[in-house]
């Protein structure tokens, strides 16, 4: 899948796409066999070490969402190093969802609101106040969600943020996903009319 990541990132950077979020490792993935998890973590560390130079060359800033503090310490160190080395870049914002789950994200946001209540006595629950405490604060909601492998479910990914996102599904498996697939998704997206719950004008 690293080749697919590289192709998607390079294509988005070339097209001027400002934000790209990749679901790299979910909270549920811990249920996989230990040997598979170990391999995934090794591949993640390899990607972080090898790709930082290329990210800087393409002016790409790396970010992360999820319960990062629960990742293995070596992964956390490599991730922090990559974040620091790309933080001044002003092009594509590449965000990796690591140890991420949308339900966990909502729980953590509510906990943050409750901590504020305990610290200063104020508790204002609105869409904005909740959004400001999500992992994705500072990032816009996705315009387009690409689902590979023909799966017709969100798999606990950005449940709050994709409320009005356009969804594009392909039978292609992620390791086989190419720039051509990405271009097709964007072309199809451009043909759609986004109404955000309102009536279409056309």
């Amino acid at each position: 899948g690293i080749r697919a990541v590289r192709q998607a990132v390079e294509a988005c950077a070339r097209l001027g796409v400002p934000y790209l979020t990749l679901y790299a490792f979910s909270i549920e993935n811990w249920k996989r066999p230990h040997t598979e998890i170990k391999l995934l973590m090794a591949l993640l560390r390899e990607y972080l070490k090898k790709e930082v130079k290329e990210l800087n060359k393409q002016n790409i800033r790396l970010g992360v969402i999820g319960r990062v503090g629960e990742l293995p310490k070596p992964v956390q160190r490599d991730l922090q190093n990559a974040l620091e080395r790309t933080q001044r870049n002003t092009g594509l914002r590449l965000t990796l969802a690591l140890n991420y789950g949308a339900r966990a994200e909502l729980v953590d946001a509510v906990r943050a609101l409750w901590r504020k209540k305990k610290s200063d006595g104020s508790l204002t629950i609105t869409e904005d106040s909740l959004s400001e405490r999500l992992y994705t604060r500072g990032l816009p909601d996705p315009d387009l969600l690409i689902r590979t492998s023909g799966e017709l479910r969100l798999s606990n990914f950005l449940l709050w943020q994709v409320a009005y996102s356009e969804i594009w599904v392909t039978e292609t498996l992620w390791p086989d996903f190419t720039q051509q697939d990405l271009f097709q998704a964007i072309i199809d997206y451009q043909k759609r009319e986004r109404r955000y719950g309102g009536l279409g004008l056309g």
Side-chain angles (χ1 to χ4, degrees), residues 48-49 52 55-56 62 77-87:
L48 292 171
K49 291 176 179 178
V52 168
L55 293 178
N56 281 328
L62 184 65
R77 287 195 297 269
D78 291 342
L79 182 59
Q80 186 59 37
N81 178 61
L83 294 175
E84 291 174 356
R85 290 177 61 186
T86 63
Q87 65 180 347

Side-chain angles (χ1 to χ4, degrees), residues 103-116:
R103 288 183 174 182
E105 178 180 27
L106 291 169
V107 168
D108 288 348
V110 172
R111 285 174 175 169
L113 284 171
W114 183 246
R115 285 195 299 270
K116 179 173 173 55

Side-chain angles (χ1 to χ4, degrees), residues 15-167:
L15 290 173
V17 174
Y19 302 95
L20 173 65
T21 300
L22 299 175
Y23 205 177
F25 190 85
S26 74
I27 288 177
E28 290 78 16
N29 286 155
W30 293 112
K31 299 174 184 177
R32 294 185 177 188
H34 176 72
T35 52
E36 184 176 344
I37 293 173
K38 188 175 180 180
L39 175 61
L40 288 171
M41 291 298 148
L43 289 172
L44 174 59
R45 294 189 68 195
E46 179 183 346
Y47 175 81
L48 292 171
K49 291 176 179 178
K50 289 185 175 181
E51 296 299 318
V52 168
K53 184 177 180 181
E54 186 63 27
L55 293 178
N56 281 328
K57 182 179 178 182
Q58 296 188 49
N59 194 32
I60 296 171
R61 180 179 174 182
L62 184 65
V64 63
I65 57 174
R67 292 179 173 173
V68 180
E70 297 176 0
L71 292 170
K73 295 299 181 183
V75 175
Q76 291 186 48
R77 287 195 297 269
D78 291 342
L79 182 59
Q80 186 59 37
N81 178 61
L83 294 175
E84 291 174 356
R85 290 177 61 186
T86 63
Q87 65 180 347
R88 290 186 176 84
N89 294 337
T90 58
L92 171 68
R93 290 280 299 274
L94 170 63
T95 303
L96 300 180
L98 294 169
N99 195 31
Y100 175 86
R103 288 183 174 182
E105 178 180 27
L106 291 169
V107 168
D108 288 348
V110 172
R111 285 174 175 169
L113 284 171
W114 183 246
R115 285 195 299 270
K116 179 173 173 55
K117 163 70 173 175
K118 292 175 68 176
S119 67
D120 62 17
S122 66
L123 180 61
T124 303
I125 301 178
T126 64
E127 288 190 13
D128 288 340
S129 68
L130 188 62
S131 292
E132 289 167 2
R133 287 161 180 83
L134 296 174
Y135 304 148
T136 54
R137 56 189 171 274
L139 297 174
D141 291 341
D143 292 310
L144 174 64
L145 172 67
I146 297 176
R147 185 70 223 236
T148 59
S149 310
E151 301 289 357
L152 299 177
R153 59 177 181 266
L154 295 176
S155 297
N156 201 19
F157 182 59
L158 300 179
L159 298 180
W160 176 278
Q161 298 89 337
V162 300
Y164 289 104
S165 300
E166 295 294 321
I167 300 176

